[in-house]
Amino acid sequence: MTGTRAGWRDPGVLWMLASAAGFGAMAIFAKLAYSEGVTLPTLLTARFTLAAVLLWMILVARRLPWRVPLRTMAGLLVMGGLGYVGQSFSYFTALQSIPAATTGLLLYIYPALVTLLAVLVLKHPLTRGGGLALVLASLGCVLVLGGPSALSGQATLEPVGVAWALAAAGIYSLYIIAGTRLITGIHPLVAATYIVSAGSLVYLISGLIGGTLSLDVSPGGWAAVVAIALVCTVLPIAAFFAGLARLGPARASILSTFEPVVTLGLAVLVLGERIELFQILGGALILGGALVVSRQNAGERQGSAPASR
């Protein structure tokens, strides 16, 4: 049962804003971890493992029914082991070479990509709102990548980093399309726990086999990693579902667009990143596309894929 109020004092709104803030801060803590010498395999393995342990503890504490049919479990493990792992690896790899603000904004073209995939894969009709969202996201993407210089092929951003950020958005879009159908009838927090656990196993096994894990990390590095696992993974996931239960998926997705705003603001305040005016305009267009998709879905009864970044 979802709440009917959506004012700023509504607990559901506050939960969603807290979730968006947590997810939005992830890029900042990742940059801080990298500056302390934390390697990508170590960061992702520690993040997923700590988050999985904490999520299982929450399930036990809340006495949620964690048993699911074997076929559903297999699907969730595939979502986590392929989709979530692929999205997170792409996102954190992009952060190694391009600014946090740029990465966060590029990720948020995913609502428009979900619309496109729904048309191409699920054969949904392309509505006027969906077409507008695609146009806004495309124009916004060009501006975020450098505006006129991006169109002339003279953008200063690292192309490989941009490619990884766009890959993260694409994989996340596929993840949402698959997850919306798969988790029907399952408590979303249970689904998220299985997905995060699958990601943990993949990163842990690959790290041990490849010998890429390193525990020689500074206290500041470990603090950033723990913050990513707790503040930017477990707490946002739990807050997302708390808000979702009160507001429903349409209004929850609208409030989720606060996430890249947090990333951009913290990137400027904490990391000292410089944001050009045309990039701010591009970000506004991308978020505008996301809002168009969310408002188009308002009033419809929809599922929601497990929240993850």
Side-chain angles (χ1 to χ4, degrees):
M1 179 176 180
T2 61
T4 58
R5 294 171 57 238
W8 291 109
R9 295 182 180 180
D10 186 286
V13 172
L14 297 179
W15 280 122
M16 288 307 307
L17 292 179
S19 174
F23 282 133
M26 189 181 313
I28 311 306
F29 283 115
K31 287 284 192 180
L32 295 176
Y34 290 148
S35 70
E36 292 288 336
V38 181
T39 64
L40 179 62
T42 299
L43 188 157
L44 290 174
T45 302
R47 175 209 177 189
F48 275 78
T49 302
L50 288 173
V53 171
L54 290 171
L55 285 171
W56 279 109
M57 291 174 63
I58 292 174
L59 291 190
V60 172
R62 293 186 57 182
R63 298 182 180 179
L64 293 175
W66 57 269
R67 298 181 187 275
V68 299
L70 289 179
R71 184 174 179 179
T72 301
M73 182 186 298
L76 293 173
L77 294 179
V78 170
M79 279 186 66
L82 292 179
Y84 201 0
V85 164
Q87 186 273 339
S88 62
F89 182 84
S90 300
Y91 182 78
F92 281 89
T93 300
L95 286 169
Q96 291 183 315
S97 56
I98 63 175
T102 303
T103 307
L105 289 172
L106 289 178
L107 176 65
Y108 246 77
I109 67 172
Y110 80 82
L113 292 180
V114 170
T115 298
L116 181 61
L117 287 172
V119 172
L120 297 177
V121 178
L122 303 180
K123 306 304 180 183
H124 290 180
L126 179 60
T127 64
R128 182 178 301 177
L132 176 60
L134 289 170
V135 171
L136 291 175
S138 299
L139 293 175
C141 188
V142 171
L143 290 175
V144 167
L145 293 178
S149 61
L151 292 174
S152 63
Q154 299 176 351
T156 57
L157 290 172
E158 175 61 47
V160 174
V162 171
W164 279 115
L166 294 176
I171 295 171
Y172 191 46
S173 303
L174 292 170
Y175 169 93
I176 289 174
I177 291 291
T180 297
R181 292 184 170 185
L182 183 63
I183 69 168
T184 301
I186 304 173
H187 194 289
L189 192 57
V190 173
T193 301
Y194 277 104
I195 289 171
V196 172
S197 298
S200 172
L201 287 175
V202 169
Y203 280 123
L204 187 59
I205 293 173
S206 62
L208 292 175
I209 293 177
T212 56
L213 301 182
S214 173
L215 298 179
D216 186 17
V217 177
S218 68
W222 280 123
V225 170
V226 171
I228 290 173
L230 179 59
V231 179
C232 305
T233 304
V234 175
L235 293 182
I237 287 176
F240 179 88
F241 293 128
L244 181 67
R246 291 186 61 90
L247 302 179
R251 284 180 288 176
S253 63
I254 291 174
L255 290 169
S256 292
T257 57
F258 182 60
E259 176 188 332
V261 177
V262 172
T263 303
L264 191 151
L266 291 178
V268 173
L269 294 175
V270 178
L271 302 178
E273 293 185 1
R274 180 179 178 182
I275 310 297
E276 302 290 346
L277 180 60
F278 57 79
Q279 291 177 309
I280 296 176
L281 176 59
L285 290 175
I286 290 174
L287 295 184
L291 287 171
V292 167
V293 172
S294 298
R295 292 182 68 85
Q296 175 181 278
N297 293 334
E300 297 179 10
R301 186 176 181 85
Q302 298 183 35
S304 178
S308 64
R309 297 292 186 274

